Amino acid sequence: MKAMPGRIRIIGGNLRNSRLNVPDLPGLRPTPERVRETLFNWLAPTIAGVRALDLCAGTGALGIEALSRGAAAVQFVEPERASAEALRGNLSRLKAEAADVAQMDAMQFLRGAPRPFGLAFLDPPFALGLWAPLARQMEQGGWLVEGAQIYVESPRGQALALPPNWMPYREGHAGDVSYALYRRSQIVPLS
């Protein structure tokens, strides 16, 4: 496993101020602290007891923050061996037992038997452009409950082709990054 060049901090909940080891890997881009703080302020009324999916988990900071703030369980999906090992190590050290790490490609994971989630984090490596296919597979594959919330992080100014029943709820920008929270509706709006 590669050396751990950095650490990021969990900012709220029962794991507040815990540090996560971050491996030195190309393209690994942890969600900035102030963006996580904003997101979890948005999620505060609904996070307790939710089952969450951290797709393209990377450091796992979003999913671990969700666990820290009361999520019932988090499924992490991360294809890179070094990232998955670091994530497992962080979860073990933090005694986060309501978590599972699947070391596999996100699309491969979504082709499996669905286990519907109430919260999903969609923050794929920017260079791969996976937002539309992953969102479509989550929606069509039965991975989201009605009313699920979906967090999406992408390059600022990039138009995303997301399912029409994912209704924008909140959004913001930080530097070159756009982030938004969507709510899933069973009803597809008329165009």
Side-chain angles (χ1 to χ4, degrees), residues 7-183:
R7 303 185 93 180
I8 56 176
R9 180 175 70 97
I10 298 302
I11 54 176
N14 64 350
L15 298 174
R16 183 178 184 186
N17 291 325
S18 297
R19 303 285 177 174
L20 304 180
N21 294 322
V22 178
D24 182 15
L25 296 170
L28 187 61
R29 183 191 36 75
T31 300
E33 200 171 289
R34 71 181 182 134
V35 173
R36 282 186 285 127
E37 184 170 7
T38 299
L39 168 63
F40 284 94
N41 285 340
W42 295 344
L43 292 171
T46 58
I47 191 101
V50 75
R51 291 184 61 245
L53 174 62
D54 193 347
L55 207 53
C56 309
T59 66
L62 292 170
I64 294 172
E65 193 78 52
L67 284 171
S68 180
R69 293 169 183 253
V74 177
Q75 173 66 61
F76 297 89
V77 180
E78 174 52 46
E80 295 293 330
R81 184 181 58 79
S83 288
E85 286 177 5
L87 178 51
R88 284 186 186 107
N90 284 325
L91 290 166
S92 175
R93 185 174 45 78
L94 297 172
K95 297 177 177 44
E97 296 174 6
D100 181 61
V101 179
Q103 185 183 332
M104 65 175 54
D105 175 79
M107 191 57 83
Q108 177 187 2
F109 178 84
L110 292 175
R111 288 187 188 113
R115 298 181 310 268
F117 293 92
L119 173 62
F121 301 106
L122 180 56
D123 180 15
F126 286 5
L128 299 180
L130 295 173
W131 295 275
L134 291 174
R136 185 172 46 253
Q137 188 64 27
M138 276 195 293
E139 181 60 37
Q140 294 173 354
W143 288 94
L144 301 169
V145 301
E146 182 175 357
Q149 297 183 95
I150 307 101
Y151 170 76
V152 180
E153 196 169 306
S154 61
R156 190 172 187 160
Q158 181 168 338
L160 301 177
L162 300 175
N165 61 320
W166 288 17
M167 312 306 262
Y169 173 63
R170 306 290 289 270
E171 61 183 37
H173 306 284
D176 295 334
V177 173
S178 289
Y179 55 94
L181 187 62
Y182 295 83
R183 288 193 174 154

